[in-house]
Amino acid sequence: MIRTGPVPPALSIVVPALNEAAVIDATLQALQPLRARGIELVLADGGSHDGTAARAAPWVDAVTLAPRGRALQMNAGAARARGDALLFLHADTRLPPCADACVLQALAGGACWGRFDVRIEGRPWMLRVVAASMNLRSRLTGIATGDQAIFVTRTAFERVGGFPLQPLMEDVEISKRLKRQGRPACLRQRVLTSGRRWEQRGVWRTIVLMWRLRWRYWRGESAARLAEAYR
């Protein structure tokens, strides 16, 4: 863990990225008001070959290089970050303007981790149903997805050993481990995430695929095997 400076920031935002040059500028520029309020931004690059890290450098406090894989990258970003709390943000997801205050208030209120509600950007009307289902399911189960911008105190993050080193379902697995520390704070403020994954594969096809993968994971199938199916 690298810590510099006498007073760590209250919150660090870790953005894992791989070949996200097309969206990384807009994502990081949208975070600059939070950065101006003292929130630390860390980009964890997984070996991009499209200039993502170089494009991000002016907009973040640190760029760290990590082996490819979202869990590996987020753990590397967390190790580089100095904040007492961590928020993990996908490169194609936007936070609400009040995100920092919402997170810190939730953690000050006794939660050790949590997530936001999500809205999915895209033309298909079914994406609104998908987002509503994700938010409801998360409230009922206490399981968060990476699209919902998971946040956690550093103490709780280190207590569960960070993200598990698996190629898929790392968000589901860390949620299960964090639930043992306490129920998540399910914030009603919404993050906006890109619907490109659903639109590229087809909304219904993606829904069915993800439910099948979750079912197989629940049944005990390995994350490595599920990652092959996902690809």
Side-chain angles (χ1 to χ4, degrees):
M1 184 187 307
I2 300 175
R3 291 178 180 270
T4 59
V7 181
L11 176 66
S12 295
I13 298 175
V14 176
V15 182
L18 178 67
N19 297 325
E20 294 285 6
V23 300
I24 199 65
D25 289 279
T27 297
L28 297 177
Q29 287 173 23
L31 294 172
Q32 295 311 297
L34 280 71
R35 191 182 181 201
R37 295 197 291 268
I39 303 305
E40 181 185 45
L41 301 185
V42 176
L43 183 93
D45 188 81
S48 298
H49 53 70
D50 65 350
T52 295
R55 295 181 73 96
W59 304 106
V60 299
D61 298 288
V63 173
T64 187
L65 302 180
R68 179 174 178 172
R70 187 168 278 162
L72 290 165
Q73 291 169 235
M74 290 190 291
N75 285 343
R80 177 64 181 83
R82 299 186 297 117
D84 293 324
L86 304 163
L87 185 153
F88 299 93
L89 182 70
H90 289 182
D92 60 358
T93 301
R94 305 283 187 89
L95 292 174
C98 61
D100 51 345
C102 293
V103 168
L104 294 175
Q105 182 176 12
L107 297 179
C112 66
W113 75 290
R115 70 9 164 226
F116 289 83
D117 275 359
V118 67
R119 181 164 66 90
I120 304 173
E121 185 177 36
R123 288 178 295 177
W125 64 269
M126 193 61 190
L127 292 178
R128 295 193 292 274
V129 178
V130 172
S133 299
M134 288 171 61
N135 297 332
L136 177 60
R137 182 186 68 227
S138 180
R139 278 192 168 79
L140 294 175
T141 64
I143 300 296
T145 69
D147 290 325
Q148 293 172 303
I150 294 171
F151 57 86
V152 60
T153 64
R154 183 176 290 278
T155 298
F157 184 75
E158 293 177 349
R159 190 176 292 141
V160 300
F163 282 94
L165 301 183
Q166 56 191 63
L168 197 68
M169 303 289 179
E170 75 286 339
D171 48 2
V172 172
E173 186 61 34
I174 197 173
S175 294
K176 290 165 61 177
R177 298 178 185 184
L178 287 170
K179 277 177 63 178
R180 301 186 190 113
Q181 309 296 318
R183 289 284 299 179
C186 297
L187 304 186
R188 294 196 178 274
Q189 293 82 3
R190 296 185 179 186
V191 298
L192 178 64
T193 194
S194 170
R196 59 184 177 173
R197 180 170 84 239
W198 285 272
E199 291 181 315
Q200 288 170 357
R201 295 188 174 191
V203 176
W204 283 107
R205 183 183 177 193
T206 304
I207 291 171
V208 172
L209 172 64
M210 294 310 298
W211 274 105
R212 283 179 175 172
L213 293 177
R214 282 176 175 271
W215 169 253
R216 289 165 63 181
Y217 188 69
W218 181 78
R219 293 287 301 271
E221 198 162 339
S222 74
R225 187 169 177 180
L226 296 180
E228 289 297 324
Y230 180 76
R231 286 194 289 267

